[in-house]
Amino acid sequence: MDVYLGIIFRTLFLYLLIIVIFRLMGKREIGELSILDLVVFIMIGEMAVIAIENTKDPLIHSVIPMVLLMIIQITLALISLKSKKFRDLVDGQPSIIINRGKIDENAMRKQRYNFDDLMTQLREKDIRSIADVEFAILESSGSLSVIEKLKNSKEQQKQGDITVPLILDGAIEEENLKRINKTNLWLRQELKKKGYRDVKKISFCSYENGEFYIDLQDED
């Protein structure tokens, strides 16, 4: 009887502990979990199962590594907020799979992403044909973001390009500049015209249809 009571107590305690840990680590949808999140979640889940099964082992032996994993995950999350290079290293970057209706097979090969994957994710978004897609972006989470072609011919003429981030956390995105056939010098000149001389003070800058969206970093 004592064994069963111990299992019940451990289950309830670890259930509440995991809820607290996940709340402290921040809200994320399942499809948006980073590699770090996923690894931590799996390890914490495994530790909880082992702790419930091994009733003779002190509970603190499982609680300490679970809390330690939480601290590590929160620390790495804070680092990723400050460092774009760290985010790219851990999470990777989004890839444009379909660009203006044309499939980029090189991007698919780099991501080891095949046509079966593409068609499956398009069907999940109720899109029957690749011909209906203007842009498809494979996000770092593995989800596919899709922008459909406009049906009306007049609307198609007005349809512009995809929003391209050119500056993130004060760092210029050289790859995105290449995508729109622009240079670092061009970007800096355009920003100077608008009164922005220090790129490092810009938190986010995007470009779409000849228009810039610029957000400065918060002052400490």
Side-chain angles (χ1 to χ4, degrees), residues 106-161:
N106 287 329
M108 291 180 66
R109 281 193 289 269
K110 287 179 181 178
Q111 299 299 323
R112 294 180 293 280
Y113 187 79
N114 59 51
F115 281 98
D116 288 334
D117 298 327
L118 177 59
M119 295 305 299
T120 297
Q121 291 193 287
L122 289 177
R123 285 194 296 270
E124 289 174 352
K125 297 181 179 297
D126 297 324
I127 296 173
R128 298 182 180 182
S129 173
I130 293 178
D132 296 332
V133 179
E134 184 73 7
F135 294 101
I137 304 158
L138 185 63
E139 306 291 356
S140 55
S141 65
S143 62
L144 190 71
S145 299
V146 178
I147 300 174
E148 294 185 68
K149 291 180 179 178
L150 299 176
K151 305 300 182 183
N152 188 294
S153 59
K154 291 183 179 180
E155 289 180 332
Q156 284 182 353
Q157 294 175 0
K158 295 179 181 179
Q159 183 164 343
D161 207 339

Coordinates of all heavy atoms in Angstrom, one line a residue, residues 106-161:
N106 N 17.5 24.0 -55.0 CA 18.7 24.1 -54.2 C 18.4 24.2 -52.7 O 19.1 23.6 -51.9 CB 19.6 25.2 -54.7 CG 20.3 24.9 -56.0 OD1 20.5 23.8 -56.3 ND2 20.5 25.9 -56.8
A107 N 17.5 25.1 -52.4 CA 17.1 25.3 -51.0 C 16.5 24.1 -50.4 O 16.7 23.8 -49.2 CB 16.1 26.5 -50.9
M108 N 15.7 23.3 -51.2 CA 15.1 22.1 -50.7 C 16.2 21.1 -50.4 O 16.1 20.4 -49.4 CB 14.2 21.5 -51.8 CG 12.9 22.4 -52.0 SD 11.8 21.7 -53.2 CE 11.3 20.2 -52.4
R109 N 17.2 21.0 -51.3 CA 18.3 20.0 -51.0 C 19.1 20.4 -49.8 O 19.5 19.5 -49.0 CB 19.2 20.0 -52.2 CG 18.7 19.1 -53.4 CD 19.8 18.8 -54.4 NE 20.1 20.0 -55.2 CZ 19.5 20.4 -56.3 NH1 18.6 19.6 -56.8 NH2 19.9 21.5 -56.9
K110 N 19.3 21.6 -49.6 CA 20.1 22.1 -48.4 C 19.3 21.7 -47.1 O 20.0 21.4 -46.1 CB 20.3 23.6 -48.4 CG 21.3 24.0 -49.4 CD 21.5 25.5 -49.4 CE 22.5 26.0 -50.4 NZ 22.7 27.5 -50.5
Q111 N 18.0 21.8 -47.2 CA 17.2 21.4 -46.0 C 16.8 20.0 -45.9 O 16.0 19.6 -45.0 CB 15.9 22.3 -46.0 CG 16.2 23.8 -45.9 CD 17.0 24.2 -44.6 OE1 16.7 23.6 -43.6 NE2 17.9 25.2 -44.8
R112 N 17.2 19.2 -46.9 CA 16.8 17.8 -47.0 C 15.3 17.7 -47.0 O 14.7 16.9 -46.3 CB 17.5 16.9 -45.9 CG 19.0 16.9 -46.0 CD 19.6 16.0 -44.9 NE 19.5 16.7 -43.6 CZ 20.3 17.7 -43.2 NH1 21.2 18.2 -44.0 NH2 20.1 18.3 -42.0
Y113 N 14.7 18.5 -47.8 CA 13.3 18.6 -47.9 C 12.8 18.2 -49.2 O 13.2 18.7 -50.3 CB 12.9 20.1 -47.6 CG 11.5 20.5 -47.4 CD1 10.8 20.2 -46.3 CD2 10.8 21.1 -48.5 CE1 9.5 20.6 -46.1 CE2 9.4 21.4 -48.3 CZ 8.8 21.2 -47.1 OH 7.5 21.5 -47.0
N114 N 11.9 17.2 -49.3 CA 11.6 16.7 -50.6 C 10.2 17.1 -51.0 O 9.4 17.7 -50.3 CB 11.7 15.1 -50.6 CG 10.8 14.5 -49.6 OD1 9.6 14.8 -49.5 ND2 11.4 13.6 -48.7
F115 N 9.8 16.7 -52.3 CA 8.5 17.1 -52.8 C 7.3 16.5 -52.0 O 6.2 17.1 -52.0 CB 8.4 16.8 -54.3 CG 9.1 17.8 -55.2 CD1 10.4 17.5 -55.6 CD2 8.6 19.0 -55.5 CE1 11.1 18.4 -56.4 CE2 9.2 19.9 -56.3 CZ 10.5 19.7 -56.7
D116 N 7.5 15.3 -51.5 CA 6.4 14.7 -50.7 C 6.2 15.6 -49.5 O 5.0 15.8 -49.1 CB 6.8 13.3 -50.3 CG 6.8 12.3 -51.4 OD1 6.0 12.6 -52.4 OD2 7.5 11.3 -51.4
D117 N 7.3 16.0 -48.8 CA 7.1 16.9 -47.6 C 6.4 18.2 -48.0 O 5.5 18.7 -47.3 CB 8.5 17.3 -47.1 CG 9.3 16.1 -46.6 OD1 8.6 15.2 -46.1 OD2 10.5 16.1 -46.7
L118 N 6.8 18.8 -49.2 CA 6.2 20.0 -49.6 C 4.7 19.8 -49.9 O 3.8 20.6 -49.4 CB 6.9 20.5 -50.9 CG 6.3 21.8 -51.6 CD1 6.4 22.9 -50.6 CD2 7.1 22.1 -52.8
M119 N 4.3 18.8 -50.7 CA 2.9 18.6 -51.0 C 2.1 18.2 -49.8 O 0.9 18.7 -49.7 CB 2.8 17.4 -52.0 CG 3.4 17.7 -53.4 SD 2.8 19.2 -54.1 CE 1.1 18.8 -54.3
T120 N 2.7 17.5 -48.8 CA 1.9 17.2 -47.6 C 1.6 18.5 -46.8 O 0.4 18.6 -46.4 CB 2.8 16.3 -46.7 OG1 3.0 15.0 -47.4 CG2 2.1 16.0 -45.4
Q121 N 2.6 19.4 -46.7 CA 2.3 20.6 -45.9 C 1.4 21.6 -46.7 O 0.7 22.3 -46.0 CB 3.7 21.2 -45.5 CG 4.4 20.4 -44.5 CD 5.6 21.2 -43.9 OE1 6.6 21.4 -44.6 NE2 5.5 21.6 -42.7
L122 N 1.5 21.5 -48.0 CA 0.5 22.4 -48.7 C -0.9 21.8 -48.6 O -1.8 22.6 -48.4 CB 0.9 22.4 -50.2 CG 2.2 23.2 -50.6 CD1 2.5 23.0 -52.1 CD2 2.1 24.6 -50.2
R123 N -1.1 20.5 -48.6 CA -2.4 20.0 -48.4 C -3.0 20.3 -47.0 O -4.2 20.5 -46.9 CB -2.4 18.4 -48.6 CG -2.3 18.0 -50.1 CD -2.6 16.6 -50.3 NE -1.6 15.7 -49.6 CZ -0.5 15.2 -50.2 NH1 -0.2 15.6 -51.4 NH2 0.3 14.4 -49.5
E124 N -2.1 20.3 -46.0 CA -2.5 20.6 -44.7 C -3.1 22.1 -44.6 O -3.8 22.4 -43.7 CB -1.4 20.5 -43.7 CG -1.0 19.0 -43.5 CD 0.2 18.9 -42.6 OE1 0.9 19.9 -42.3 OE2 0.6 17.7 -42.2
K125 N -2.6 22.9 -45.6 CA -3.1 24.3 -45.6 C -4.2 24.5 -46.7 O -4.5 25.6 -47.1 CB -1.9 25.2 -45.9 CG -0.9 25.2 -44.8 CD 0.3 26.1 -45.1 CE 1.3 26.1 -43.9 NZ 0.7 26.6 -42.7
D126 N -4.8 23.3 -47.1 CA -5.9 23.3 -48.1 C -5.5 23.9 -49.4 O -6.3 24.6 -50.1 CB -7.1 24.1 -47.6 CG -7.7 23.4 -46.3 OD1 -7.7 22.2 -46.3 OD2 -8.1 24.1 -45.4
I127 N -4.2 23.7 -49.8 CA -3.7 24.2 -51.1 C -3.5 23.0 -52.0 O -2.7 22.1 -51.7 CB -2.4 25.0 -51.0 CG1 -2.7 26.3 -50.2 CG2 -1.8 25.4 -52.3 CD1 -1.5 27.1 -49.8
R128 N -4.2 22.9 -53.1 CA -4.2 21.7 -53.9 C -3.0 21.7 -54.9 O -2.6 20.6 -55.3 CB -5.5 21.6 -54.7 CG -6.7 21.5 -53.8 CD -8.0 21.3 -54.6 NE -9.2 21.2 -53.8 CZ -10.4 21.0 -54.3 NH1 -10.6 21.0 -55.6 NH2 -11.4 20.9 -53.4
S129 N -2.6 22.8 -55.4 CA -1.6 22.9 -56.4 C -0.4 23.8 -56.1 O -0.7 24.9 -55.5 CB -2.2 23.3 -57.7 OG -1.2 23.5 -58.7
I130 N 0.8 23.4 -56.4 CA 1.9 24.3 -56.3 C 1.7 25.6 -57.1 O 2.2 26.7 -56.8 CB 3.2 23.6 -56.6 CG1 3.5 22.5 -55.6 CG2 4.4 24.6 -56.7 CD1 4.7 21.7 -55.9
A131 N 1.0 25.5 -58.2 CA 0.8 26.6 -59.1 C 0.0 27.7 -58.4 O 0.0 28.9 -58.9 CB 0.0 26.2 -60.3
D132 N -0.7 27.4 -57.3 CA -1.4 28.5 -56.6 C -0.6 29.2 -55.6 O -1.0 30.1 -54.9 CB -2.6 27.8 -55.8 CG -3.6 27.2 -56.8 OD1 -3.7 27.7 -57.9 OD2 -4.3 26.2 -56.4
V133 N 0.7 28.8 -55.4 CA 1.6 29.4 -54.4 C 2.5 30.5 -55.0 O 3.2 30.2 -56.0 CB 2.4 28.3 -53.7 CG1 3.3 28.9 -52.7 CG2 1.5 27.3 -53.1
E134 N 2.5 31.6 -54.4 CA 3.5 32.7 -54.7 C 4.8 32.6 -53.9 O 5.9 32.6 -54.5 CB 2.8 34.1 -54.5 CG 3.7 35.3 -54.9 CD 3.7 35.5 -56.4 OE1 3.0 34.8 -57.1 OE2 4.5 36.3 -56.8
F135 N 4.6 32.4 -52.6 CA 5.8 32.2 -51.8 C 5.5 31.0 -50.8 O 4.4 30.9 -50.3 CB 6.1 33.4 -51.0 CG 6.6 34.6 -51.8 CD1 5.7 35.6 -52.1 CD2 7.9 34.7 -52.3 CE1 6.1 36.7 -52.8 CE2 8.3 35.8 -53.0 CZ 7.4 36.8 -53.3
A136 N 6.5 30.2 -50.5 CA 6.5 29.2 -49.5 C 7.8 29.2 -48.7 O 8.9 29.1 -49.3 CB 6.2 27.8 -50.1
I137 N 7.7 29.4 -47.4 CA 8.9 29.6 -46.6 C 8.9 28.5 -45.5 O 8.0 28.4 -44.8 CB 8.9 31.0 -45.9 CG1 8.8 32.1 -46.9 CG2 10.2 31.2 -45.1 CD1 8.3 33.4 -46.4
L138 N 10.0 27.7 -45.5 CA 10.2 26.7 -44.5 C 10.8 27.3 -43.3 O 12.0 27.8 -43.3 CB 11.1 25.6 -45.1 CG 11.3 24.4 -44.2 CD1 10.0 23.6 -43.9 CD2 12.3 23.4 -44.8
E139 N 10.0 27.5 -42.2 CA 10.5 28.2 -41.1 C 11.5 27.3 -40.3 O 11.6 26.1 -40.5 CB 9.3 28.5 -40.1 CG 8.2 29.3 -40.8 CD 8.6 30.7 -41.2 OE1 9.8 31.1 -40.9 OE2 7.8 31.4 -41.9
S140 N 12.2 27.9 -39.4 CA 13.2 27.2 -38.6 C 12.6 26.1 -37.7 O 13.2 25.2 -37.3 CB 14.1 28.1 -37.7 OG 13.2 28.9 -36.9
S141 N 11.3 26.3 -37.4 CA 10.6 25.3 -36.6 C 10.2 24.1 -37.4 O 9.7 23.1 -36.9 CB 9.3 25.9 -36.0 OG 8.4 26.3 -37.0
G142 N 10.3 24.2 -38.8 CA 9.9 23.1 -39.6 C 8.5 23.3 -40.2 O 8.1 22.5 -41.1
S143 N 7.8 24.3 -39.8 CA 6.5 24.6 -40.4 C 6.6 25.3 -41.7 O 7.7 25.9 -41.9 CB 5.6 25.4 -39.4 OG 6.2 26.6 -39.2
L144 N 5.6 25.2 -42.5 CA 5.7 25.9 -43.8 C 4.7 27.1 -43.9 O 3.5 26.9 -43.6 CB 5.3 24.9 -45.0 CG 5.6 25.4 -46.4 CD1 7.1 25.5 -46.7 CD2 4.9 24.4 -47.4
S145 N 5.2 28.3 -44.1 CA 4.4 29.5 -44.3 C 4.2 29.7 -45.7 O 5.1 29.7 -46.5 CB 5.1 30.7 -43.7 OG 5.3 30.5 -42.3
V146 N 2.9 29.9 -46.1 CA 2.5 30.0 -47.5 C 1.8 31.2 -47.8 O 0.9 31.6 -47.1 CB 1.7 28.7 -47.9 CG1 1.3 28.8 -49.4 CG2 2.4 27.4 -47.7
I147 N 2.2 31.9 -48.9 CA 1.4 33.1 -49.4 C 0.9 32.7 -50.8 O 1.7 32.4 -51.7 CB 2.3 34.3 -49.5 CG1 2.8 34.7 -48.1 CG2 1.5 35.5 -50.1 CD1 3.8 35.8 -48.1
E148 N -0.4 32.6 -51.0 CA -1.0 32.2 -52.2 C -1.0 33.3 -53.2 O -1.0 34.5 -52.9 CB -2.5 31.8 -52.0 CG -2.6 30.5 -51.1 CD -4.0 30.0 -51.0 OE1 -4.6 29.6 -52.0 OE2 -4.6 30.1 -49.9
K149 N -1.1 32.9 -54.5 CA -1.2 33.9 -55.6 C -2.6 34.5 -55.6 O -3.6 33.8 -55.2 CB -1.0 33.2 -56.9 CG 0.5 32.8 -57.2 CD 0.6 32.1 -58.6 CE 2.0 31.7 -58.8 NZ 2.1 31.0 -60.1
L150 N -2.7 35.7 -55.9 CA -4.0 36.4 -56.0 C -4.7 36.0 -57.3 O -4.1 35.8 -58.3 CB -3.8 37.9 -55.9 CG -3.2 38.5 -54.7 CD1 -3.0 40.0 -54.8 CD2 -4.0 38.1 -53.4
K151 N -6.0 35.7 -57.2 CA -6.7 35.2 -58.3 C -7.0 36.3 -59.4 O -7.0 36.0 -60.6 CB -8.1 34.6 -57.8 CG -7.9 33.5 -56.8 CD -7.1 32.4 -57.2 CE -7.0 31.3 -56.2 NZ -6.1 30.2 -56.6
N152 N -7.4 37.5 -58.9 CA -7.7 38.5 -59.8 C -6.5 39.1 -60.6 O -5.5 39.3 -59.9 CB -8.4 39.7 -59.0 CG -9.0 40.8 -59.9 OD1 -8.2 41.4 -60.6 ND2 -10.3 40.9 -59.9
S153 N -6.6 39.2 -61.9 CA -5.4 39.7 -62.7 C -4.9 41.1 -62.2 O -3.7 41.3 -62.2 CB -5.8 39.7 -64.1 OG -6.9 40.5 -64.4
K154 N -5.9 42.0 -61.9 CA -5.5 43.3 -61.5 C -4.8 43.2 -60.1 O -3.8 43.9 -59.9 CB -6.7 44.2 -61.4 CG -7.3 44.6 -62.7 CD -8.5 45.5 -62.5 CE -9.1 45.9 -63.9 NZ -10.2 46.8 -63.7
E155 N -5.2 42.4 -59.2 CA -4.6 42.2 -57.9 C -3.2 41.6 -58.1 O -2.3 41.9 -57.3 CB -5.5 41.3 -57.0 CG -6.8 42.0 -56.6 CD -7.6 41.1 -55.7 OE1 -7.5 39.8 -55.9 OE2 -8.3 41.6 -54.9
Q156 N -3.0 40.7 -59.1 CA -1.7 40.1 -59.3 C -0.7 41.1 -59.7 O 0.5 41.0 -59.3 CB -1.8 39.0 -60.4 CG -2.5 37.7 -59.9 CD -2.5 36.6 -61.0 OE1 -2.2 36.9 -62.1 NE2 -3.0 35.5 -60.6
Q157 N -1.1 42.1 -60.5 CA -0.2 43.2 -60.9 C 0.2 44.0 -59.7 O 1.3 44.5 -59.6 CB -0.9 44.1 -61.9 CG -1.1 43.4 -63.2 CD -1.9 44.3 -64.2 OE1 -2.2 45.4 -63.9 NE2 -2.2 43.7 -65.4
K158 N -0.7 44.1 -58.7 CA -0.3 44.9 -57.5 C 0.4 44.1 -56.5 O 1.0 44.6 -55.6 CB -1.6 45.4 -56.8 CG -2.4 46.4 -57.7 CD -3.7 46.9 -57.0 CE -4.4 47.9 -57.8 NZ -5.7 48.3 -57.1
Q159 N 0.4 42.8 -56.6 CA 1.0 41.9 -55.6 C 2.5 42.1 -55.6 O 3.2 42.0 -56.6 CB 0.7 40.4 -55.9 CG 1.3 39.5 -54.8 CD 0.7 38.1 -54.9 OE1 -0.3 37.9 -55.5 NE2 1.4 37.2 -54.2
G160 N 3.0 42.4 -54.4 CA 4.5 42.8 -54.3 C 5.3 41.6 -53.9 O 5.0 40.5 -54.0
D161 N 6.5 42.0 -53.4 CA 7.4 41.0 -53.0 C 7.2 40.6 -51.5 O 6.4 41.2 -50.9 CB 8.9 41.5 -53.2 CG 9.9 40.4 -53.4 OD1 9.6 39.3 -53.0 OD2 11.0 40.7 -53.9

